[in-house]
Amino acid sequence: QDRVLLVQEAKPECRGKWYLPAGRMEPGENIVAAMRREVKEETGLECDPLTLLALEERGPAWIRFAFLARPTGGTLKTLEEADAESLQAAWWAGDPSVLPLRALDILPLLDLAARYRRSPPHPPTLPQELPCALLCLRLLVAFANDAGNLWVLLGTDGTPHLPVVACGTSPAEVRGGFRLPVLRLLRDCLPPDPCPGPLGLLGLQHRAGGPGGADGVCFNVLLSIPPSSPGAAPPEPCSPAFRWWHVEEESLRGRILQRLRAAATVPV
């Protein structure tokens, strides 16, 4: 009904202000379970996720998953049920910016949600239940020219594979953003020009308490290397550890090109 579920904060530092349901994951908890728990605790409602809307990050130290979801049950929390999680919840139909908000960072997310409901820019994208030991990025680095040819960068160590880069653990890397390890890998294998395009999220995998207690996340990201001229071929890799694969299978080529041209990925 073109309304958005908001909560009135109970925390002393922002008491009485409004925000989207939000919170931290707990150790051993998967991403979707954390989202459902936080919504239930703060609003009284149960919900199912429809898609990730955005991945917000400041490097491995701070990652936030923004979901579009639909209510499936429960009872909306009232002031009589106020607790340490929230004072109350409400369905808001007007302009949220007129409310006393805890922070304005939810307004771009509300715009993303409205645009997704009108015309989804990317397929529904939810975490896949697959284990990962580290916090890492799997890269689909694509090069497409105006003739419709497409190449994908592969690692050649063992079976050809999409490059994977682990997020660093030094103080600078922990707060440096996901683009830093990507640029470092590309710097080691490709000429410096041209600069790659923005990152887009194709999907992610996470299973809390994986083998050996692993609790990492692997983000599958798409980025493009723009051609230097019409009809150009991809730049020659500087390292024998990488090569370009010419994608000739029509269905796969079409799907990758569609994602590239329409920016049909979850924004990072």
Side-chain angles (χ1 to χ4, degrees), residues 125-231:
T125 305
L126 293 172
Q128 299 299 304
E129 283 274 342
L130 294 168
C132 184
L134 303 170
L135 189 66
C136 60
L137 307 169
R138 182 184 290 116
L139 310 179
L140 179 54
V141 181
F143 181 97
N145 61 26
D146 57 356
N149 293 307
L150 174 70
W151 291 263
V152 168
L153 190 68
L154 296 181
T156 59
D157 182 19
T159 303
H161 59 276
L162 293 176
V164 176
V165 57
C167 295
T169 56
S170 71
E173 291 172 314
V174 161
R175 294 172 177 81
F178 284 175
R179 198 165 173 84
L180 279 182
V182 172
L183 291 176
R184 187 180 305 114
L185 181 140
L186 295 179
R187 183 188 64 211
D188 292 341
C189 72
L190 295 177
D193 294 320
C195 184
L199 295 179
L201 187 71
L202 289 168
L204 68 156
Q205 64 186 65
H206 171 256
R207 179 185 293 163
D215 195 20
V217 184
C218 182
F219 299 95
N220 299 312
V221 297
L222 174 68
L223 73 158
S224 61
I225 305 295
S228 56
S229 62

Side-chain angles (χ1 to χ4, degrees), residues 108-120:
L109 298 178
L110 297 177
D111 288 340
L112 275 178
R115 291 204 300 271
Y116 193 95
R117 291 183 66 233
R118 288 195 302 268
S119 178

